[in-house]
């Protein structure tokens, strides 16, 4: 089932996600719906707060980057196969030089900006079978995971921009908060009058 994607301006996007256990209500169904929702919106990642749940869960599939000519063959092959569920993740190390990449976010349609992030990360997490995993990542795989990980910490990529850039996109962000945007996927906008998560 395709779920509406929660738009910028909604409080759930600012919550620090809580850990979940294997008994979480219909977790399998939730993850299936998140895959479907992400693919429908042509995203490379989706975090649970973006579908209205402040829990430490996100998914990543970097397949769309696999035919990017600017990447070397080794990275393209890796990205073509990098599809994972991250539960209760913790980034334990972020190192290397900061590098810039033009990021977007399904919760912030029509806004893309250059964001600086460290090159290397180590992340510990549980996979969909609640098996403990540790991954060392670099390049675009690290980048996408860092972006999604920020979501479960209540952080958005626009938080990482200079104050000048923030001023320049303020109007666009205000419009998204008010629902004045037309993405080609379903979204849910914040309505302060309505009780919502
Ligand atoms: Zn995002």
């Amino acid at each position: 089932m395709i779920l509406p994607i929660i738009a910028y301006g909604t409080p759930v996007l600012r919550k620090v996600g809580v850990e979940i256990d294997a008994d979480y209500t219909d977790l399998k169904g939730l993850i299936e719906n998140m895959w479907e929702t992400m693919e429908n919106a042509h995203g490379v990642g989706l975090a649970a707060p973006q579908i209205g749940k402040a829990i430490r869960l996100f998914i990543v599939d970097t397949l769309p980057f696999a035919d990017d000519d600017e990447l070397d063959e080794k990275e393209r092959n890796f990205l073509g196969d990098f599809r994972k569920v991250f539960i209760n993740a913790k980034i334990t190390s972020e190192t290397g030089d900061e590098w810039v990449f033009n990021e977007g976010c399904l919760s912030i349609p029509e806004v893309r900006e250059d964001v600086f992030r460290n090159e290397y990360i180590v992340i510990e997490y549980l996979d969909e079978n609640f098996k403990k995993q540790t991954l060392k990542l670099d390049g675009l795989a690290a980048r996408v995971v860092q972006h999604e990980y920020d979501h479960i910490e209540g952080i958005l990529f626009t938080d990482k921009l200079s104050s000048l850039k923030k001023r320049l996109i303020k109007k666009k962000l205000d419009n998204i908060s008010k629902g004045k945007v037309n993405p080609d996927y379903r979204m849910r906008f914040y309505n302060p009058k309505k009780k919502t998560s």
Side-chain angles (χ1 to χ4, degrees):
M1 185 173 61
I2 293 166
L3 307 167
I5 293 176
I6 303 296
Y8 180 93
T10 308
V12 69
L13 292 178
R14 293 312 191 172
K15 288 191 181 151
V16 177
V18 295
E19 293 199 343
I20 57 171
D21 57 35
D23 298 329
Y24 190 85
T25 312
D26 193 24
L27 183 60
K28 206 167 170 268
L30 174 66
I31 292 170
E32 268 171 36
N33 290 342
M34 283 176 67
W35 283 125
E36 211 180 318
T37 302
M38 185 193 86
E39 277 151 18
N40 175 256
H42 304 288
V44 290
L46 185 71
Q50 294 181 279
I51 47 102
K53 297 193 184 299
I55 56 174
R56 299 186 79 78
L57 163 66
F58 61 87
I59 58 173
V60 167
D61 187 345
T62 55
L63 178 64
F65 289 125
D67 44 34
D68 184 337
D69 305 335
E70 282 171 31
L71 303 171
D72 64 46
E73 200 187 329
K74 195 172 154 235
E75 186 167 17
R76 284 207 307 262
N77 288 339
F78 183 83
L79 294 170
D81 216 24
F82 190 68
R83 177 182 169 94
K84 287 189 190 307
V85 175
F86 293 82
I87 295 167
N88 299 346
K90 195 81 212 165
I91 289 182
T92 55
S93 141
E94 259 183 298
T95 55
D97 291 339
E98 291 201 333
W99 64 290
V100 72
F101 186 77
N102 197 249
E103 293 189 24
C105 179
L106 295 178
S107 293
I108 316 175
E110 292 166 30
V111 175
R112 295 198 71 90
E113 293 293 340
D114 285 348
V115 178
F116 286 88
R117 297 186 189 270
N118 290 107
E119 193 174 0
Y120 306 105
I121 62 164
V122 179
I123 187 164
E124 292 176 1
Y125 65 100
L126 304 172
D127 64 20
E128 62 269 52
N129 302 311
F130 278 78
K131 260 184 80 179
K132 200 173 172 191
Q133 306 284 351
T134 303
L135 267 182
K136 286 181 189 175
L137 297 169
D138 60 14
L140 274 174
R143 166 75 52 168
V144 175
V145 167
Q146 285 164 312
H147 177 115
E148 298 310 323
Y149 183 80
D150 274 352
H151 275 298
I152 63 168
E153 294 284 315
I155 298 165
L156 301 171
F157 82 90
T158 48
D159 301 347
K160 299 186 170 290
L161 306 176
S162 68
S163 45
L164 171 66
K165 268 280 156 60
K166 279 181 187 151
R167 276 203 300 279
L168 290 173
I169 62 166
K170 189 176 182 303
K171 183 80 192 155
K172 272 189 184 176
L173 294 179
D174 287 347
N175 281 341
I176 296 170
S177 313
K178 293 175 194 154
K180 290 187 209 159
V181 67
N182 271 311
D184 56 8
Y185 48 87
R186 232 175 112 208
M187 289 196 90
R188 180 170 295 156
F189 300 93
Y190 183 47
N191 179 352
K193 286 173 216 140
K194 232 166 104 182
K195 202 178 171 299
T196 160
S197 50

